[in-house]
Amino acid sequence: MKMDATVCFSGYREEKFPFSLRDGNAQYEQLKKDLLSAVLEAVEEGYGDFYTGACYGFDILAGEAVLQARDRYGLPIRLLSVIPFENQAQLWSEHWRDRYFFMLERSDQVITLQAHYTRGCYQRRNRYMVERSRLLICYHTGRSGGTGNTVKEAIQKGLYVVNLCKDIFIEEPSFFYTLSFS
């Protein structure tokens, strides 16, 4: 495994997605397949540690894909869940809280960055993951916000970036990729 064999994820919360993150939605089902494929491709390239920001939506889906890859294929990979503050999930729906706590129980490491919410804590969490990674797997439509800032920061720091959003291609340096799964 590579010395710098760490991946982080960035994407939207459920309400910011351009489609529903509920079972039965074809785009949602495809996203889950694409996430698993991206994790497996990263493992093939020698990556073994995967940071998730552990928020409802894309982060939890990414964590679940890592766990699925580890469990289904017996891969020696680790899921590292980075929580921006304690009680992050307190106001979430039961659906996402259940998935969150299940993911945390199965994570190899849970890193809580601070006790309470403060302005900028999510950006600090994203920076923490980017600074420790070599590859970013994201779902980014091009809209501004936390994911857009994380993608920009990852590119500035020289990370390879894989965007699972197939609707756009962002003109960036040569290490920005949009995967096209068949």
Side-chain angles (χ1 to χ4, degrees), residues 157-169:
K157 295 206 179 285
L159 273 68
Y160 294 98
V161 177
V162 173
N163 187 9
L164 300 180
C165 179
K166 298 176 181 129
D167 298 333
I168 63 159
F169 182 80

Side-chain angles (χ1 to χ4, degrees), residues 91-106:
L91 300 177
W92 297 356
S93 71
E94 184 177 351
H95 167 81
W96 286 109
R97 275 196 321 272
D98 289 347
R99 290 172 76 171
Y100 170 76
F101 287 117
F102 186 73
M103 182 186 73
L104 293 185
E105 287 172 11
R106 299 181 65 221

Side-chain angles (χ1 to χ4, degrees), residues 127-143:
R127 191 172 304 114
Y128 177 95
M129 295 188 305
V130 166
E131 288 173 352
R132 288 159 177 77
S133 299
R134 186 71 189 121
L135 170 67
L136 170 68
I137 298 172
C138 66
Y139 188 94
H140 178 50
T141 62
R143 71 188 287 179

Side-chain angles (χ1 to χ4, degrees), residues 1-9 38-39 42-52 62-63 66-67 70 75-82 107-109 111 128-130 132-137 159:
M1 203 165 292
K2 300 176 186 176
M3 288 290 289
D4 59 350
T6 303
V7 177
C8 62
F9 296 99
V39 168
V43 172
E44 284 180 23
E45 291 295 318
Y47 293 91
D49 287 345
F50 294 82
Y51 282 110
T52 179
V66 172
L67 293 171
R70 183 179 74 189
L75 298 173
I77 58 178
R78 298 183 332 140
L79 177 61
L80 312 165
S81 294
V82 183
S107 294
D108 296 283
Q109 186 175 3
I111 302 153
Y128 177 95
M129 295 188 305
V130 166
R132 288 159 177 77
S133 299
R134 186 71 189 121
L135 170 67
L136 170 68
I137 298 172
L159 273 68

Side-chain angles (χ1 to χ4, degrees), residues 138-157:
C138 66
Y139 188 94
H140 178 50
T141 62
R143 71 188 287 179
S144 61
T147 297
N149 292 340
T150 302
V151 168
K152 240 182 248 183
E153 185 172 342
I155 290 169
Q156 289 170 350
K157 295 206 179 285

Side-chain angles (χ1 to χ4, degrees), residues 8-132:
C8 62
F9 296 99
S10 185
Y12 304 117
R13 295 178 187 160
E14 179 179 35
E15 68 273 7
K16 293 185 179 182
F17 256 88
F19 51 84
S20 171
L21 297 184
R22 296 297 170 164
D23 290 336
N25 179 310
Q27 291 171 300
Y28 171 60
E29 298 301 331
Q30 188 61 51
L31 174 61
K32 291 191 298 184
K33 289 177 187 174
D34 291 349
L35 265 167
L36 180 59
S37 294
V39 168
L40 293 173
E41 286 183 30
V43 172
E44 284 180 23
E45 291 295 318
Y47 293 91
D49 287 345
F50 294 82
Y51 282 110
T52 179
C55 196
Y56 68 96
F58 186 81
D59 291 352
I60 289 176
L61 297 176
E64 290 171 344
V66 172
L67 293 171
Q68 182 181 6
R70 183 179 74 189
D71 296 346
R72 181 185 292 176
Y73 302 105
L75 298 173
I77 58 178
R78 298 183 332 140
L79 177 61
L80 312 165
S81 294
V82 183
I83 301 169
F85 63 97
E86 295 173 14
N87 299 321
Q88 154 178 259
Q90 185 174 6
L91 300 177
W92 297 356
S93 71
E94 184 177 351
H95 167 81
W96 286 109
R97 275 196 321 272
D98 289 347
R99 290 172 76 171
Y100 170 76
F101 287 117
F102 186 73
M103 182 186 73
L104 293 185
E105 287 172 11
R106 299 181 65 221
S107 294
D108 296 283
Q109 186 175 3
V110 177
I111 302 153
T112 305
L113 297 181
Q114 60 190 59
H116 304 287
Y117 172 84
T118 58
R119 184 180 165 107
C121 67
Y122 291 103
Q123 292 86 354
R124 281 189 290 284
R125 184 232 16 229
N126 295 343
R127 191 172 304 114
Y128 177 95
M129 295 188 305
V130 166
E131 288 173 352
R132 288 159 177 77

